[in-house]
């Protein structure tokens, strides 16, 4: 706490410290004569950049749960960063008017101070976005907060990774590098809960919308994530550990309220060049600490999760990738035997296939992309075609679709069928 307090006080004081030399430089005309035009001009003390963005989206079909408008917002982003003699700082925040919810919102995407500790350690404290792992839109060991609502309504991909308050320590050593992220209060995913996207609620045995939106009981305990990684030649490997909670409210409390059960995860990943492309593999064991025997239907069972992927350039400026994902539920027989609704339980082996195609024109101003999820076991999926065009260095346009399909209303993607949408965003960066 003392370190935090000092850091924040230093952030507040630093503008005053920097303003003195700037004023002195303006008053002293000899400085311009002495430096001459050939010396590099000093940048502003507080470089300010960001963007303004307008976004609009509409459901493709009428929904009994929501209006047509799926995305309607005006967003302004301001960023600055810099350093003093004692630490570096980054400030990144959004001011948003959300027409769907009819409200203004201010969001801190990053508010951090960082500093080196000795020769091998860096510390970063504050609100920040964190990520690791080898999957493309599939997360096995990356158990930092995600914003699935943003992902499904057409916001920029950046917003899939949600910020959280944490202390991150990074150590760089000869044998391996280490990263430790401690979040003092559990940060869950921004999960669909009926307010903006209709979802299946097993407690009500139906799809619910805004009128039945729920709020989960969220624990306030801490969570800890660890990564040990190293490059050996052209091969990148990593080991992971996590102690905290499931990131989505997949458990029920004793009084029937959605909540987050405890989770401990261990895993590893590898990424290396293979033939003309890039291969990656990742595995993770999710240990459900609140239900070790798998007999409590209110708590998710332990699982093994595995992923293999491959990416290569198919043609000039056209790249393609394929991922195969397996989710194996342990003690599945006990889960089905004790479940009040065994017909809604997922298969013991849930499978998922993803593919990505990306084409860019020769000037790199236009990008066409298609990302698709398909689950052979659940017979559902999600397709994301997108068109991006950059008019110049400042102005850009993004437009696309979020298309869901499924045989069952309770499957992961099938529950979102009423939320099929098209969107467009135009951004001016400065």
């Amino acid at each position: 706490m003392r370190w935090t307090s000092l850091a924040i006080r230093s952030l507040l004081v630093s503008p005053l410290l920097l303003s003195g030399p700037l004023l002195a430089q303006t008053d002293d005309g000899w400085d311009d004569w002495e430096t001459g035009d050939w010396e590099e001009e000093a940048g502003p003390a507080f470089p300010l950049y960001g963007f303004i963005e307008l976004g609009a989206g509409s459901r493709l079909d009428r929904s009994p749960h929501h209006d047509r408008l799926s995305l309607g917002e005006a967003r302004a982003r301001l960023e600055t960063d810099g350093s003093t003699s004692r630490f570096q700082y980054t400030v990144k925040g959004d001011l948003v008017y959300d027409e769907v919810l009819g409200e203004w919102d201010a969001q801190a995407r990053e508010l951090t101070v960082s500093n080196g500790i000795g020769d091998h350690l860096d510390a970063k404290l504050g609100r920040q976005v964190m990520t690791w792992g080898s999957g493309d839109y599939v997360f096995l060991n990356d158990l930092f907060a995600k914003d699935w609502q943003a992902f499904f309504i057409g916001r920029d991909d950046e917003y899939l990774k949600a910020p959280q308050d944490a202390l991150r320590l990074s150590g760089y050593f000869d044998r391996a590098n280490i990263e430790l992220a401690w979040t003092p209060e559990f940060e869950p995913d921004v999960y669909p809960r009926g307010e903006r996207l209709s979802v299946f609620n097993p407690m009500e045995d139906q799809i619910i919308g805004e009128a039945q939106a729920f709020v989960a009981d969220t624990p306030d305990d801490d969570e800890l994530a660890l990564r040990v990684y190293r490059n050996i030649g052209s091969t990148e490997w990593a080991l992971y550990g996590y102690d905290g909670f499931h990131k989505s409210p997949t458990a029920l409390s004793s009084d029937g309220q959605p909540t987050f059960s405890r989770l401990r995860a261990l895993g590893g990943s590898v990424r290396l060049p293979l033939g003309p492309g890039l291969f990656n593999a990742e595995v993770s064991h999710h240990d459900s600490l609140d239900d070790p025997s798998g007999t409590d239907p209110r708590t998710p069972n332990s699982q093994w999760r595995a992923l293999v992927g491959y990416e290569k350039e198919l043609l000039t400026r056209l790249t393609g990738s394929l991922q195969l994902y397996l989710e194996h539920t342990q003690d599945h027989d006990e889960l089905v035997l004790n479940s009040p609704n065994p017909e809604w339980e997922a298969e013991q082996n849930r499978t998922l296939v993803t593919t990505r195609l990306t084409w860019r024109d020769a000037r790199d101003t236009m990008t066409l992309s298609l990302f698709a999820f398909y689950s052979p076991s659940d017979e559902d999926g999600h397709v994301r075609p997108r068109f991006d065009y950059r008019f110049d260095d400042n102005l850009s346009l993004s437009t696309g679709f979020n298309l869901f399909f499924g045989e069952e209303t309770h499957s992961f993607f099938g529950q979102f069928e009423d939320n099929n949408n098209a969107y467009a965003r135009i951004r001016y960066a400065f």
Side-chain angles (χ1 to χ4, degrees):
M1 293 297 293
R2 177 178 170 78
W3 195 81
T4 308
S5 175
L6 286 172
I8 294 174
R9 286 172 56 190
S10 299
L11 265 178
L12 295 174
V13 170
S14 55
L16 300 178
L17 296 177
L18 290 169
S19 63
L22 283 177
L23 288 173
Q25 187 177 35
T26 303
D27 293 338
D28 186 358
W30 288 102
D31 286 346
D32 294 336
W33 173 263
E34 292 170 357
T35 55
D37 293 339
W38 53 84
E39 289 195 5
E40 185 176 352
E41 187 174 340
F46 287 94
L48 192 62
Y49 41 93
F51 61 81
I52 297 171
E53 184 178 87
L54 298 176
S58 173
R59 286 180 170 77
L60 301 183
D61 301 302
R62 291 190 180 278
S63 166
H65 308 288
H66 296 93
D67 295 334
R68 281 273 191 175
L69 188 68
S70 57
L71 176 69
E73 61 188 28
R75 180 181 297 269
R77 158 75 60 83
L78 287 178
E79 302 179 32
T80 188
D81 53 38
S83 62
T84 71
S85 60
R86 303 186 64 177
F87 59 83
Q88 296 80 47
Y89 61 86
T90 301
V91 179
K92 184 185 298 183
D94 288 6
L95 179 63
V96 187
Y97 177 71
D98 187 340
E99 176 63 21
V100 174
L101 301 181
E103 63 185 24
W104 287 91
D105 190 20
Q107 304 166 351
R109 293 287 298 175
E110 184 167 356
L111 183 60
T112 60
V113 292
S114 58
N115 198 7
I117 304 174
D119 295 332
H120 300 285
L121 285 178
D122 288 333
K124 190 174 187 179
L125 175 67
R127 193 154 186 83
Q128 53 193 296
V129 174
M130 297 179 285
T131 187
W132 57 42
S134 68
D136 187 5
Y137 288 160
V138 181
F139 307 102
L140 288 76
N141 292 293
D142 179 350
L143 294 167
F144 301 113
K146 307 292 182 299
D147 187 341
W148 293 107
Q149 292 193 145
F151 186 65
F152 290 149
I153 63 174
R155 289 193 181 124
D156 189 273
D157 281 359
E158 165 193 357
Y159 293 96
L160 171 60
K161 310 287 178 66
Q164 59 190 80
D165 300 325
L167 169 62
R168 186 169 186 168
L169 298 175
S170 302
Y172 307 98
F173 306 97
D174 293 336
R175 292 184 178 276
N177 303 316
I178 300 175
E179 285 190 288
L180 182 70
W182 176 64
T183 302
E185 185 171 330
F186 169 65
E187 187 77 40
D189 288 347
V190 180
Y191 51 88
R193 59 187 187 89
E195 178 189 37
R196 186 185 291 273
L197 298 168
S198 54
V199 295
F200 180 75
N201 187 336
M203 298 296 291
E204 300 190 23
D205 189 14
Q206 62 177 344
I207 298 289
I208 63 168
E210 186 175 4
Q212 303 100 339
F214 65 90
V215 177
D217 182 16
T218 305
D220 56 6
D221 293 335
D222 64 345
E223 53 183 331
L224 190 66
L226 173 70
R227 178 173 72 142
V228 180
Y229 64 101
R230 184 183 180 186
N231 289 349
I232 301 178
S234 58
T235 301
E236 172 191 304
W237 63 266
L239 300 174
Y240 308 91
Y242 172 81
D243 188 82
F245 300 86
H246 287 87
K247 305 301 286 189
S248 293
T250 50
L252 291 176
S253 63
S254 56
D255 58 357
Q257 186 176 3
T259 188
F260 305 82
S261 57
R262 292 190 299 154
L263 172 68
R264 182 173 296 154
L266 294 172
S269 70
V270 64
R271 191 199 317 259
L272 68 158
L274 182 64
L278 191 63
F279 169 81
N280 68 286
E282 188 167 346
V283 65
S284 183
H285 181 249
H286 287 203
D287 190 2
S288 182
L289 300 179
D290 291 335
D291 186 22
S293 61
T295 56
D296 183 357
R298 299 173 304 175
T299 306
N301 284 26
S302 299
Q303 290 182 332
W304 280 98
R305 300 184 177 189
L307 174 79
V308 292
Y310 191 72
E311 178 183 5
K312 64 170 288 191
E313 186 178 62
L314 303 174
L315 299 170
T316 301
R317 299 190 299 278
L318 174 65
T319 60
S321 67
L322 181 71
Q323 295 184 125
L324 307 176
Y325 171 73
L326 171 66
E327 202 171 86
H328 175 79
T329 300
Q330 296 180 237
D331 304 309
H332 190 264
D333 290 343
E334 284 78 3
L335 172 65
V336 172
L337 184 64
N338 291 280
S339 174
N341 305 105
E343 68 275 15
W344 294 342
E345 302 296 345
E347 299 286 334
Q348 182 174 24
N349 293 308
R350 177 174 178 257
T351 54
L352 185 68
V353 180
T354 80
T355 184
R356 178 191 288 275
L357 293 172
T358 303
W359 176 84
R360 291 182 173 85
D361 70 350
R363 296 186 301 163
D364 202 26
T365 56
M366 182 169 61
T367 303
L368 297 173
S369 66
L370 174 69
F371 194 97
F373 301 85
Y374 175 67
S375 173
S377 58
D378 292 354
E379 297 182 315
D380 65 356
H382 176 206
V383 181
R384 299 169 57 85
R386 199 173 81 183
F387 169 78
D388 296 283
Y389 190 79
R390 184 166 54 84
F391 297 95
D392 53 35
D393 290 341
N394 303 106
L395 190 63
S396 61
L397 171 72
S398 294
T399 183
F401 295 87
N402 283 291
L403 307 174
F404 305 91
F405 60 93
E407 294 292 325
E408 305 287 349
T409 56
H410 63 267
S411 69
F412 183 78
F413 293 117
Q415 65 182 320
F416 296 121
E417 268 196 313
D418 289 338
N419 302 293
N420 288 340
N421 62 80
Y423 65 87
R425 292 179 279 103
I426 189 162
R427 173 179 295 194
Y428 181 81
F430 56 90

